[in-house]
Amino acid sequence: YQIGDPMIMQGLASMASMLAHLSLQVDVTGAEAFTKARDVTVRADAAVKGILPFGTPSIARLKVTNGTNQTMRVIAGRSLMDEQGRYWVVTGGATILAGEIGYMIVKQVRARTFTHAVNANRAFYTIEVSNPDIGCITDIRVDGFERTNDFANIMAGDKVYNIKSDEYSALSVQFGVSALAGYQPAVGETLTVIVEDTEGALALSVGMTFAFEYNELTTSSIESQMILELSEVTQQGADPMDIATMREVCSYPAIYDESAVFGSNFDFVIRKKIVPLTFLSTWNERREEQVRG
């Protein structure tokens, strides 16, 4: 040690470095409940609070030019592709007369469907949902069920599901428990899950071209002669919330929490869910009666 033999000094230095890192980890762990410094802790906190890593799809208004001598009708649900190969779906169809110009609303989503056979009789049965190869998830639906938040105000037997996230932002669909809240699937029952994917934030420009996705059942010769152009972007797409934003959102209960703990929160929740609402005060009956009698 005194002559600085590398065989000794390097070993001691590596152990000292390891212990320094371990000490730092112990300090971070002690404060983690208050600071949420680790990304995995932020994601876990967001998962508990119901903040889902969903992306926001772009919504646009397309200009449709019918250069044919026939009337063209585009129905909601028809798939399109833009010049970058991204998938869109028509949400507001249109009927365009021969030689005329019309407009329709489209959303940048791509739906995928899978079936799951229930393999266990388990309370709060869960089905994992995989992320897309490109982009992110924007919505999850279960055929024949309605979505709920945290099984609030749900009676036993109600066919509902809840969407959950974990500390790795992996999404899953969760069902209820029999005789308590919601519906518990039986062994062998087949459930159909519909997942909508989006590519989130996109660079879109007015005038960019679109085309109908080819489908043997719906594609016609008229569609190939239609000119589809982007007229207006009504909603900008967005990627899932980043860690820095998620850390701040989780620190402000008023932003994400809809539980009616205090009178003012109760008033806010009702006004958020029921629009428009002309009731002056949903928690102070005396104030209401002073005005209306």
Side-chain angles (χ1 to χ4, degrees):
Y1 178 83
Q2 290 178 348
I3 65 174
D5 185 350
M7 295 291 290
I8 300 297
M9 300 302 293
Q10 289 182 3
L12 291 174
S14 64
M15 286 188 286
S17 177
M18 179 188 67
L19 291 172
H21 284 295
L22 179 60
S23 176
L24 178 62
Q25 289 295 316
V26 171
D27 292 340
V28 171
T29 301
E32 190 67 19
F34 309 99
T35 61
K36 296 181 177 61
R38 293 192 180 103
D39 290 353
V40 68
T41 308
V42 175
R43 292 194 185 97
D45 187 35
V48 171
K49 294 170 179 174
I51 302 174
L52 300 174
F54 276 175
T56 302
S58 298
I59 299 177
R61 188 167 178 254
L62 296 189
K63 175 184 176 182
V64 185
T65 304
N66 185 356
T68 70
N69 57 1
Q70 302 180 52
T71 298
M72 177 63 183
R73 183 169 180 263
V74 183
I75 62 174
R78 188 72 171 87
S79 296
L80 307 174
M81 294 181 69
D82 63 19
E83 58 189 31
Q84 301 297 325
R86 297 175 293 232
Y87 290 97
W88 298 68
V89 65
V90 177
T91 59
T95 299
I96 303 97
L97 301 178
E100 298 291 332
I101 294 176
Y103 294 88
M104 62 185 183
I105 305 299
V106 296
K107 182 166 64 172
Q108 200 277 302
V109 294
R110 176 73 165 175
R112 53 188 168 101
T113 303
F114 68 91
T115 58
H116 175 86
V118 178
N119 53 29
N121 185 17
R122 185 167 56 244
F124 297 111
Y125 189 83
T126 302
I127 301 175
E128 295 182 359
V129 179
S130 61
N131 287 317
D133 295 332
I134 300 177
C136 53
I137 296 174
T138 184
D139 192 22
I140 302 174
R141 302 189 303 275
V142 179
D143 192 24
F145 289 74
E146 293 184 3
R147 181 179 170 182
T148 182
N149 290 324
D150 301 326
F151 294 98
N153 302 319
I154 298 301
M155 301 295 291
D158 289 351
K159 302 192 75 172
V160 298
Y161 65 95
N162 184 36
I163 300 175
K164 295 192 65 178
S165 176
D166 64 10
E167 66 272 23
Y168 303 106
S169 295
L171 291 168
S172 59
V173 175
Q174 188 178 61
F175 299 89
V177 53
S178 60
L180 183 61
Y183 175 81
Q184 183 173 329
V187 175
E189 185 174 352
T190 301
L191 302 172
T192 302
V193 181
I194 303 99
V195 184
E196 286 190 352
D197 303 324
T198 184
E199 295 191 31
L202 302 176
L204 302 173
S205 58
V206 174
M208 67 183 298
T209 58
F210 287 70
F212 290 101
E213 182 186 10
Y214 179 76
N215 187 309
E216 294 181 356
L217 299 177
T218 57
T219 301
S220 63
S221 58
I222 303 177
E223 289 186 347
S224 61
Q225 302 177 57
M226 307 290 289
I227 300 176
L228 309 178
E229 299 172 300
L230 179 63
S231 173
E232 178 188 6
V233 178
T234 58
Q235 175 179 286
Q236 291 286 349
D239 297 330
M241 192 181 299
D242 58 79
I243 289 294
T245 304
M246 189 178 293
R247 180 178 286 107
E248 295 301 322
V249 168
C250 289
S251 67
Y252 293 101
I255 295 179
Y256 60 82
D257 194 1
E258 294 186 352
S259 61
V261 178
F262 302 104
S264 59
N265 289 4
F266 185 63
D267 188 271
F268 170 76
V269 170
I270 292 182
R271 293 179 189 278
K272 183 177 180 181
K273 299 296 184 182
I274 306 175
V275 180
L277 182 67
T278 57
F279 208 66
L280 287 180
S281 178
T282 59
W283 61 277
N284 191 331
E285 187 176 354
R286 182 177 58 83
R287 179 185 173 195
E288 180 70 25
E289 290 182 351
Q290 284 176 348
V291 177
R292 302 188 193 275

